[in-house]
Amino acid sequence: MQKNINLDMLPEKARSELFDFYEFLTTKYGKKLTDVEKNKKIFLESVRDHSFKLPVGYKFNREEIYEKR
């Protein structure tokens, strides 16, 4: 059985709690992760935690970066 869950309607704190509960259930009932899978999961969580959104209309100016001051 597969069902879809719409997380967009939940506030961020509720999404975080749901994610924590999901991790608990997968730990309790799911298959054990290999070291490679654990490392991948840790890496992807780190990327998610350090990601941010750029402002709308943001343009990267390469020349400005290499400009001498």
Side-chain angles (χ1 to χ4, degrees):
M1 169 173 59
Q2 183 175 352
K3 294 183 179 185
N4 293 327
I5 298 174
N6 182 3
L7 299 179
D8 294 333
M9 58 192 282
L10 295 175
E12 186 63 34
K13 182 167 176 35
R15 286 186 224 169
S16 178
E17 289 179 21
L18 185 58
F19 181 74
D20 289 344
F21 184 64
Y22 174 78
E23 283 186 327
F24 164 75
L25 290 176
T26 56
T27 301
K28 185 174 179 179
Y29 298 108
K31 67 174 187 164
K32 302 297 180 208
L33 298 177
T34 64
D35 286 341
V36 171
E37 290 170 324
K38 286 179 187 176
N39 289 339
K40 179 180 177 182
K41 181 179 175 188
I42 290 168
F43 172 76
L44 292 175
E45 286 174 357
S46 176
V47 169
R48 185 193 72 223
D49 292 344
H50 292 91
S51 294
F52 59 92
K53 292 188 178 189
L54 294 172
V56 176
Y58 175 83
K59 295 201 181 207
F60 178 75
N61 186 343
R62 187 177 302 272
E63 292 174 9
E64 189 176 289
I65 288 177
Y66 295 110
E67 212 173 71
K68 296 201 180 209
R69 296 176 186 218

